[in-house]
Amino acid sequence: EKDMKKIIYTICLALMTFCIGCDDDDNHLPQVKPESTGTLTDDEGNEYTWVRYDGLDWMTSNFKAGTPYYELKDSWGWSDLISISDKDQAIADYDMYGNLYTYEDAIANAPEGWRLPTDEDWKKLEKALGMSPGELDDTGWRGSVEGELIQQDETGSGIHLLLAGYVSLQPGTPLFQYLRQVREYGYYWSSTVDESYTQSTAVYYRRIRFNSSQIERTSTTIEEKDYVQNVYKRFMSVRYVRDAQNN
């Protein structure tokens, strides 16, 4: 009987230790909070919250003004430009995930006083979230916990980048662009051109992914071609930024 009690005690102690370890793992992220918050309204009446980090105000939801990407027409106006397997779901997701934009429209649609963030703006935010200076200029997946922090809602960092996917050509398929990787990845434009790419215009962007602690910094062309050389624009999410105001 004593041996049985000892075994039960050992099992209970092991379970308690395991649970404590789980709690520690759940709380491994540093607490990062904005310096200030506020709101703005675009020309269509959509309201956005912003958070301030290191002298920059960042929108906390994806921009959504303009024609929804799923209503765009092809160059002949015959059909939807974007092929979506479940359009009803895309429409339902629109309120949460916002719109997707070409690079040109991402720049042109910025509200007065705001801008599409530069690559340096993104790096400044990543540094404020704790990314080491030695990683900021790297390409590929970088960071330790910043990919999780940048996805936190108002209970955490408040930046709340979303996994809205992107629109691109389906490999090997001409004429149609497809909405891809919703709820798996988020793609966000920067305004900074990658000068090392000379064949066409390429710009830096950021990519986040579900349950990832890192943030990808790389560049891509703003348009692509199918095998018969038809040109198609890429579409990504947009967060606008501004220099902190004296308020």
Side-chain angles (χ1 to χ4, degrees):
E1 185 178 351
K2 288 183 179 179
D3 289 340
M4 180 60 67
K5 288 182 178 179
K6 187 178 294 185
I7 291 172
I8 293 173
Y9 174 79
T10 302
I11 293 173
C12 291
L13 183 62
L15 288 173
M16 288 175 63
T17 303
F18 176 77
C19 291
I20 291 171
C22 289
D23 288 342
D24 289 343
D25 186 62
D26 288 342
N27 297 311
H28 73 285
L29 295 176
Q31 293 294 308
V32 179
K33 295 290 186 179
E35 303 156 20
S36 183
T37 64
T39 60
L40 71 144
T41 303
D42 66 27
D43 292 340
E44 296 182 3
N46 301 305
E47 186 173 276
Y48 308 86
T49 301
W50 56 261
V51 292
R52 180 170 299 168
Y53 283 94
D54 196 14
L56 292 177
D57 296 339
W58 288 84
M59 290 184 177
T60 66
S61 55
N62 292 350
F63 200 65
K64 64 194 310 182
T67 303
Y69 69 93
Y70 52 77
E71 292 182 359
L72 294 172
K73 304 298 180 181
D74 62 26
S75 57
W76 297 276
W78 291 343
S79 60
D80 292 340
L81 175 63
I82 313 301
S83 179
I84 300 173
S85 59
D86 188 344
K87 192 165 184 178
D88 288 340
Q89 183 63 54
I91 294 171
D93 285 343
Y94 183 77
D95 281 341
M96 175 178 179
Y97 291 120
N99 211 349
L100 298 172
Y101 299 90
T102 67
Y103 174 69
E104 294 89 348
D105 285 343
I107 291 176
N109 286 330
E112 184 176 356
W114 295 77
R115 66 176 181 270
L116 189 65
T118 64
D119 186 44
E120 291 301 317
D121 290 334
W122 280 110
K123 286 190 281 189
K124 194 171 184 180
L125 175 60
E126 291 163 339
K127 184 178 180 182
L129 295 177
M131 188 176 291
S132 66
E135 290 183 282
L136 293 173
D137 291 326
D138 290 345
T139 55
W141 292 96
R142 314 116 67 233
S144 55
V145 297
E146 295 76 24
E148 293 176 74
L149 294 175
I150 209 168
Q151 296 182 55
Q152 289 179 335
D153 61 17
E154 65 276 4
T155 62
S157 72
I159 300 168
H160 203 205
L161 289 194
L162 299 168
L163 306 172
Y166 74 118
V167 169
S168 179
L169 280 175
Q170 186 81 358
T173 305
L175 303 178
F176 291 104
Q177 292 171 289
Y178 289 80
L179 174 64
R180 306 169 68 187
Q181 298 186 340
V182 182
R183 286 174 282 277
E184 298 176 20
Y185 290 88
Y187 293 75
Y188 289 84
W189 289 115
S190 90
S191 62
T192 302
V193 173
D194 181 357
E195 301 292 350
S196 68
Y197 194 86
T198 57
Q199 298 178 10
S200 60
T201 301
V203 301
Y204 286 97
Y205 70 94
R206 292 302 189 275
R207 180 165 65 148
I208 58 169
R209 60 187 171 193
F210 172 73
N211 202 27
S212 174
S213 61
Q214 295 185 305
I215 302 170
E216 185 183 39
R217 172 182 179 260
T218 189
S219 63
T220 186
T221 56
I222 64 173
E223 58 190 25
E224 53 192 334
K225 296 179 180 179
D226 63 18
Y227 68 82
V228 292
Q229 301 302 299
N230 292 309
V231 176
Y232 301 86
K233 302 289 187 180
R234 295 185 191 272
F235 291 74
M236 297 187 194
S237 297
V238 168
R239 290 292 177 94
Y240 290 117
V241 67
R242 69 177 180 182
D243 297 322
Q245 309 296 292
N246 294 320
N247 54 16

